[in-house]
Amino acid sequence: MAVVDSGPWYKALEKLDIKRVVISSDIRNYIEMWFKAFKRRIKVFDKYFPHKMGFVQHINNWIDMYITYHNYIRKHQALKSYTPYQWETCIN
């Protein structure tokens, strides 16, 4: 299933027989902010740690590191400057 806004490209999903749900606010805003941050970090990471051989493994390693950073190190303003891990284990 794909979460989409009401853009015209969703017709491609129909042709591929992929189910979709249209969300144009609320959780969609958080998802878009996350992907924006993710893309920005990819550019920074690749600048300092360029690697062309074994590209798929390189990306998988980077995603693992980003998830660790995002959930255990980076403090989130929406969570009162706690990390998601701190928020789930210590605060709630």
Side-chain angles (χ1 to χ4, degrees), residues 45-59:
F45 180 79
D46 197 50
K47 178 180 177 183
Y48 292 104
F49 303 102
H51 192 282
K52 303 304 177 206
M53 301 292 286
F55 184 70
V56 172
Q57 185 59 46
H58 176 68
I59 294 298

Side-chain angles (χ1 to χ4, degrees), residues 57-91:
Q57 185 59 46
H58 176 68
I59 294 298
N60 285 335
N61 290 343
W62 191 89
I63 290 171
D64 289 342
M65 290 189 315
Y66 182 79
I67 289 169
T68 300
Y69 166 77
H70 185 81
N71 290 323
Y72 297 95
I73 299 169
R74 182 178 177 268
K75 298 180 184 315
H76 297 256
Q77 185 178 10
L79 301 178
K80 300 180 182 177
S81 294
Y82 290 101
T83 67
Y85 175 76
Q86 290 170 325
W87 185 260
E88 285 298 317
T89 59
C90 303
I91 307 305

Side-chain angles (χ1 to χ4, degrees), residues 10-77:
Y10 72 88
K11 292 178 183 178
L13 298 174
E14 290 175 352
K15 289 181 181 180
L16 296 171
D17 198 31
I18 297 174
K19 295 179 183 181
R20 64 183 170 83
V21 59
V22 176
I23 298 176
S24 59
S25 64
D26 196 32
I27 190 69
R28 177 132 180 102
N29 296 336
Y30 292 111
I31 293 168
E32 288 185 3
M33 287 187 330
W34 187 89
F35 274 108
K36 183 178 179 182
F38 186 69
K39 288 184 214 178
R40 188 174 57 245
R41 295 286 177 180
I42 286 174
K43 288 179 183 178
V44 170
F45 180 79
D46 197 50
K47 178 180 177 183
Y48 292 104
F49 303 102
H51 192 282
K52 303 304 177 206
M53 301 292 286
F55 184 70
V56 172
Q57 185 59 46
H58 176 68
I59 294 298
N60 285 335
N61 290 343
W62 191 89
I63 290 171
D64 289 342
M65 290 189 315
Y66 182 79
I67 289 169
T68 300
Y69 166 77
H70 185 81
N71 290 323
Y72 297 95
I73 299 169
R74 182 178 177 268
K75 298 180 184 315
H76 297 256
Q77 185 178 10

